[in-house]
Amino acid sequence: EAGVVQSPRYKIIEKKQPVAFWCNPISGHNTLYWYRQNLGQGPELLIRYENEEAVDDSQLPKDRFSAERLKGVDSTLKIQPAELGDSAVYLCASSLQGDTSTDTQYFGPGTRLTVL
Amino acid sequence: KQEVTQIPAALSVPEGENLVLNCSFTDSAIYNLQWFRQDPGKGLTSLLLIQSSQREQTSGRLNASLDKSSGRSTLYIAASQPGDSATYLCAVLTGANSKLTFGKGITLSVRP
């Protein structure tokens, strides 16, 4: 079974440019997460989807970040315009979201963004 | 607000040593605690998940314990190998939104 797929794996852009990341979760997983991981830190949740609905986007900087999960499968995270401080690894994860106490999140390899 | 702490940030041990990685959290109202492994340039791999009602979980040479009342967990690695070298992150699932809060991780180096 394929794991969580993300693309691109690496992206280098100049500040003020737009950028988009794509994620394909594990088949059958209803819940999808986007995290940002800064160097030397643990991942921090940006947004969580239950099917097509964003149920927690409290940590998403809405002035420049946007996300969508049309049809409740693939998801795209966009930054426009990018700032130097956005340089990080953007991780996508998915889970079945059945029993909360046993729900395991499966992570993709991430997209490493460098903003120059 | 839940906070997860992992100390030290880095650890270097000789091959074959048994070792313990520590994790502490501030809010004991958790659904579960998870230990993840992250290799350089890679995503996270779930190692062990301990439900809030459980005390420990084992997988091969790994054993994780949970003391919810004191807000602590340990990951025990038996007979460490160079292939165990990675960053180990602890995370707790809490809150109405089932939010996973991570520690900063412990970077382990096992010397041959």
Side-chain angles (χ1 to χ4, degrees):
Chain A
E1 178 182 303
V4 176
V5 179
Q6 290 188 248
S7 69
R9 291 294 315 278
Y10 305 91
K11 189 73 177 179
I12 301 174
I13 61 172
E14 293 187 346
K15 63 181 180 181
K16 301 184 181 180
Q17 294 300 306
V19 65
F21 315 123
W22 175 80
C23 173
N24 180 245
I26 293 173
S27 177
H29 281 193
N30 299 322
T31 306
L32 184 145
Y33 313 78
W34 282 104
Y35 289 87
R36 177 168 59 188
Q37 186 176 23
N38 292 311
L39 189 64
Q41 305 291 316
E44 294 182 332
L45 181 69
L46 292 173
I47 189 169
R48 176 168 73 102
Y49 282 94
E50 295 285 348
N51 299 304
E52 310 86 29
E53 182 182 0
V55 296
D56 183 0
D57 62 356
S58 57
Q59 301 302 310
L60 190 72
K62 297 181 182 62
D63 57 336
R64 298 183 299 107
F65 286 64
S66 65
E68 60 182 14
R69 192 185 183 196
L70 301 177
K71 301 182 181 178
V73 181
D74 295 0
S75 177
T76 302
L77 178 69
K78 298 178 181 178
I79 308 175
Q80 182 171 8
E83 297 179 351
L84 295 177
D86 296 331
S87 294
V89 176
Y90 291 83
L91 295 164
C92 179
S94 69
S95 70
L96 279 172
Q97 197 61 28
D99 181 353
T100 301
S101 64
T102 60
D103 196 39
T104 297
Q105 296 184 25
Y106 295 86
F107 284 77
T111 297
R112 181 176 297 276
L113 173 67
T114 301
V115 182
L116 303 176
Chain B
K1 178 185 175 184
Q2 179 73 268
E3 293 183 0
V4 179
T5 302
Q6 294 184 255
I7 297 173
L11 187 62
S12 180
V13 300
E15 181 177 3
E17 188 163 302
N18 301 324
L19 58 101
V20 174
L21 306 181
N22 294 306
C23 169
S24 63
F25 49 95
T26 55
D27 183 355
S28 61
I30 65 172
Y31 291 114
N32 64 47
L33 182 143
Q34 301 175 51
W35 282 93
F36 291 87
R37 169 180 172 145
Q38 187 172 31
D39 292 283
K42 302 288 181 62
L44 281 69
T45 301
S46 179
L47 297 173
L48 290 165
L49 182 152
I50 311 175
Q51 299 176 49
S52 62
S53 59
Q54 297 176 326
R55 298 283 292 182
E56 65 177 343
Q57 282 287 333
T58 298
S59 176
R61 294 182 294 107
L62 306 180
N63 174 276
S65 67
L66 172 63
D67 184 341
K68 202 171 65 167
S69 61
S70 67
R72 296 183 180 185
S73 175
T74 61
L75 178 66
Y76 175 83
I77 302 177
S80 59
Q81 303 170 358
D84 294 329
S85 298
T87 297
Y88 291 81
L89 295 106
C90 168
V92 293
L93 191 68
T94 55
N97 285 332
S98 298
K99 181 178 178 180
L100 199 59
T101 302
F102 286 84
K104 293 182 179 181
I106 297 174
T107 298
L108 173 65
S109 174
V110 181
R111 308 186 301 270

